[in-house]
Amino acid sequence: MPETIKGSDAIIYFYKNEFIPFGCATTFTLTTTADKLPTREISNTGVWKTYIPSNLSWSISLTGVTTIVDADMFTSWDIIDNQVSFIDILTQITFTDSAGNIKSVRGNVLVDTSTLTIAVKDPVMSDFEFTGNGELMRFTGSIPCDSEILTITTTGGTG
């Protein structure tokens, strides 16, 4: 029986002079969406509509976030500062699948919604909604590689 893919070590990073781990979330959701355009030509489909893919978009949702407050960390307040200043944030999410492969996505996000839940004597919890602003990079590992070397051939003399 095939094994269900499980994610572990899921980390979201925000860029502040370098990629800084943000915190732990009970749930994070990455959603990609493709718009579609109906085709006007009907061929071999009878009365059924056909579509072609159009624009792509993506978003991230973080629920139940707790952060560690440290001068060097990217905090919930930094996110709110970027939101009210209309500044996008470079972010990266990595997780390890059940086969031990690290999978990552990276891109700029705009902050749509930020919610802080504060209860006396409990950790401050945060929920955030982000919209991707531009391309979503997808890659294996935690550092993207712009090019791939498939073969190396060396020729030479002695020594």
Side-chain angles (χ1 to χ4, degrees):
M1 173 153 215
E3 182 180 340
T4 301
I5 296 174
K6 297 178 183 176
S8 65
D9 300 327
I11 302 170
I12 185 163
Y13 300 85
F14 291 110
Y15 192 83
K16 184 179 179 181
N17 300 321
E18 64 180 315
F19 278 105
I20 299 170
F22 175 64
C24 299
T26 55
T27 304
F28 78 80
T29 305
L30 170 68
T31 304
T32 55
T33 305
D35 294 339
K36 60 184 183 288
L37 297 172
T39 58
R40 299 209 187 278
E41 182 179 319
I42 299 176
S43 61
N44 300 331
T45 61
V47 295
W48 298 100
K49 288 185 178 183
T50 58
Y51 298 91
I52 57 171
S54 182
N55 299 319
L56 293 169
S57 61
W58 59 282
S59 63
I60 297 172
S61 175
L62 299 174
T63 305
V65 177
T66 58
T67 59
I68 300 168
V69 178
D70 183 323
D72 295 329
M73 296 296 286
F74 201 95
T75 68
S76 298
W77 293 113
D78 291 314
I79 293 175
I80 293 170
D81 285 345
N82 282 43
Q83 182 181 22
V84 300
S85 300
F86 302 113
I87 298 171
D88 59 356
I89 308 167
L90 180 57
T91 187
Q92 179 171 308
I93 297 173
T94 63
F95 75 95
T96 305
D97 66 18
S98 53
N101 301 309
I102 297 174
K103 301 290 185 180
S104 299
V105 295
R106 180 186 287 184
N108 287 308
V109 293
L110 296 169
V111 184
D112 296 329
T113 306
S114 54
T115 305
L116 299 179
T117 303
I118 303 166
V120 176
K121 297 184 181 181
D122 288 336
V124 174
M125 303 296 283
S126 309
D127 298 333
F128 298 103
E129 299 287 333
F130 303 98
T131 297
N133 190 16
E135 181 182 0
L136 175 66
M137 293 175 56
R138 302 155 323 279
F139 51 94
T140 300
S142 57
I143 300 172
C145 184
D146 292 332
S147 62
E148 184 176 341
I149 299 171
L150 299 175
T151 62
I152 297 176
T153 304
T154 57
T155 57
T158 60

